[in-house]
Every structure is written in structure tokens, then in C-alpha cells.
Amino acid sequence: MSREYIYLDWNVIKYALQPRIGKYDDSLLPIISRLARRYDIPYSEAHLRDLASGHSEENKHYSERDIEFLEKLTGSKAIVFVHEENTGRELLAIQARNIEVDFSSILQAVSSEDAATVDFSANSVGADPILTHRADPNLTQGGTLRF
């Protein structure tokens, strides 16, 4: 049975890793850790693209630190699109993936100015199809979350 999930904005993850002075960011990591006991906290292509936008060879160690933190936080689970054959709809799913392979693919696409060609679907390279489970279809419509 799949667990419910909570999707965190990259800024929340960034501030949990590196709290800002004078803010309440120090309380983020303990709160997220408690939530992670009950919910999956997946990463997404958007998280990795945000990280890739600041990546360079000079600050590679920061990217590696961030990827390691994201991997621990998410348990290497990502939110991906799954094409449902019988309805033709795109649904969201949580899937165990290789975050380093995903990040590497995004870096390669961004550096080749072909950023739109990264396949972050359930069947792409970093995926482990055995560990995929669908998100609640009532939360999705046409690949976007409904609130």
C-alpha cells in the first residue's frame, strides 16, 4: 500500500539544509523529519533543475552536498509522471529512483541547451519500476496537482 506524500518546495529543502540567520528555519528539519515518518517526501525534476541552475565545477561540492541531503530526505523517491494506457491520462506517481543519475541527466541537458529533453517519467533511466506506486488520482488532473 502506498503512503501519502508531501511535496516540499526547493526553498523549504534549501533552508532546512542551510538555515538563514534570524528566521525560523532551524525548526524546519525536525518538523520535516517527523512528517517523513508518516509521509513520503519525494524530490522532483524541478528540484534538480533548481539545483542544476547554480551548479558549476567551482562549486561542485555544494551540489554534491545538496544531492546527498536530498537523497537522505526523500529516501531516493521521486514524483514522476505515469501514462495510464486505458485512459490516456498522465498521473503522478512516487517512484524509487537513482537521484545521481537523474541529476546527471539534467546537468547534461542543461549544458547542451537541450533542457526540454530530460525524460522524468516512470520509465526513464533513473527509475526502478518495481518500486513505483501511483499517487491518489483524485489529486491529479492532466499531470498537475489539484488543490
Side-chain angles (χ1 to χ4, degrees):
M1 179 168 166
S2 62
R3 296 188 329 162
E4 293 179 321
Y5 67 93
I6 296 175
Y7 181 83
L8 300 176
D9 181 76
W10 176 249
N11 288 322
V12 173
I13 295 169
K14 180 174 64 174
Y15 297 141
L17 172 63
Q18 197 167 20
R20 299 168 293 178
I21 297 171
K23 304 286 182 182
Y24 296 103
D25 298 348
D26 331 356
S27 59
L28 283 173
L29 194 53
I31 291 169
I32 293 169
S33 296
R34 283 196 311 270
L35 289 170
R37 292 182 206 145
R38 180 172 174 183
Y39 301 97
D40 284 334
I41 299 177
Y43 70 92
S44 70
E45 179 180 355
H47 291 139
L48 298 181
R49 285 185 181 275
D50 284 344
L51 185 55
S53 70
H55 178 80
S56 69
E57 281 304 311
E58 296 82 46
N59 67 9
K60 184 178 179 177
H61 60 284
Y62 292 119
S63 296
E64 290 169 351
R65 176 204 63 190
D66 292 353
I67 288 293
E68 183 179 326
F69 179 75
L70 193 57
E71 186 173 32
K72 287 178 183 173
L73 178 69
T74 65
S76 295
K77 293 178 184 164
I79 192 160
V80 297
F81 289 104
V82 175
H83 181 76
E84 193 173 65
E85 291 296 327
N86 57 343
T87 65
R89 292 175 52 196
E90 293 287 327
L91 300 175
L92 294 176
I94 306 299
Q95 180 180 63
R97 298 181 60 91
N98 184 323
I99 192 170
E100 291 176 8
V101 169
D102 286 341
F103 186 61
S104 193
S105 297
I106 288 172
L107 281 178
Q108 189 174 28
V110 169
S111 68
S112 70
E113 297 181 14
D114 199 11
T117 64
V118 176
D119 181 5
F120 210 77
S121 68
N123 299 322
S124 60
V125 174
D128 184 347
I130 296 169
L131 298 175
T132 300
H133 63 270
R134 285 192 170 81
D136 181 351
N138 295 319
L139 297 177
T140 61
Q141 181 172 341
T144 57
L145 291 175
R146 287 191 316 215
F147 295 96

